[in-house]
Amino acid sequence: MGETGEVVTDPSLPFRPRVAAASLSGASDAAWAKSAAPSVGAAVLGGLAVDEPTRTAARTMVEDRDREEFLPDDPLAFAEQQLAEVTDMSIVPGLNVRGRTLEPLRRVADVCTVHDAICEINAHCRQAEMCDVGAGQSLLREPDRLAAQVATAAEAGATVSVKVRTEVPGVDVPGIARKIEQVGADAIHVDAMDSEGVVAEIVAATDLFVIANNGVRDRGTVREYLAYGADAVSVGRPSDRPVVLDRVRDATDAWFGEPMEGGR
């Protein structure tokens, strides 16, 4: 890991500044990333449903509950177009992907590889429609299926992150972290909920690059996660608020002692 004695060999990691803008379904597109770019080192677009089971779930979420979702006619073309728009920006791009089946994931991972983008597998979404089709948070309860997704993306040559959440009954997040590391994951993006100390457990259990998420708003929240050993933090819902991003960036720069102009 970047700051805990291990060498991170992937050129995308660590990104600088050590702040990521985290994906927000239906909102995190190239224009959003461009707006956040002055204050972040990475921006994760998506989430993008990439196969028919997850696209059906996303359509139901839009139609029945008026949620925002990306539902382009061609998810692969959308991924290509969106990542092409951010390729020349001074940030590491990423794409958060929700899928049930492996072949669509492999194709999207190929696109991520071409654009030097992080392919972030979504094992985080807790919407019932996604979980019912075997995507999102449900993958945490089926670690072999999650591992297969990680291996598929890694074999395509992508930098692979997995976004997870804590406080899922019966799920050992540090154990999940060890498993995904063994099959090729480079990073884990942890929505720590109210269990911030899990970050330290993951740091102790793996050499993954750890991005900590949930409630990151200011110097205090940044320092809490970084004190647990996180390599970076991410900002979710306030990612469209420059004043919040600037506060978080200043705090991470001060912690790591590496004020930057941004970029890789």
Side-chain angles (χ1 to χ4, degrees), residues 132-230:
D132 287 347
V133 300
Q137 178 182 287
S138 70
L139 289 167
L140 297 177
R141 291 196 174 94
E142 298 185 69
D144 288 342
R145 284 207 308 112
L146 177 57
Q149 291 200 8
V150 171
T152 296
E155 287 164 6
T159 299
V160 182
S161 175
V162 179
K163 190 169 186 185
V164 304
R165 70 167 67 249
T166 63
E167 302 182 5
V168 180
V171 171
D172 171 17
V173 175
I176 292 284
R178 285 191 294 269
K179 190 174 187 72
I180 64 173
E181 182 179 33
Q182 290 167 0
V183 294
D186 302 284
I188 186 166
H189 190 173
V190 186
D191 182 345
M193 306 294 284
D194 291 319
S195 302
E196 296 86 353
V198 172
V199 170
E201 296 176 27
I202 295 169
V203 169
T206 75
D207 293 330
L208 292 170
F209 187 84
V210 178
I211 307 166
N213 170 267
N214 197 291
V216 176
R217 302 287 188 273
D218 52 26
R219 183 175 181 271
T221 52
V222 167
R223 290 177 68 86
E224 180 177 17
Y225 283 124
L226 299 183
Y228 281 125

Side-chain angles (χ1 to χ4, degrees), residues 2-74:
E3 294 298 314
T4 57
E6 298 294 335
V7 176
V8 175
T9 58
D10 190 293
S12 297
L13 304 172
F15 45 78
R16 293 182 174 84
R18 308 293 190 94
V19 182
S23 65
L24 300 169
S25 294
S28 297
D29 58 7
W32 162 87
K34 193 171 298 186
S35 176
S39 301
V40 303
V44 184
L45 283 59
L48 181 64
V50 298
D51 58 9
E52 197 49 43
T54 53
R55 285 171 61 77
T56 297
R59 280 192 291 268
T60 301
M61 290 156 62
V62 170
E63 293 166 2
D64 291 356
R65 296 194 285 115
D66 201 29
R67 283 182 58 88
E68 287 188 87
E69 291 289 335
F70 291 117
L71 280 168
D73 291 337
D74 184 340

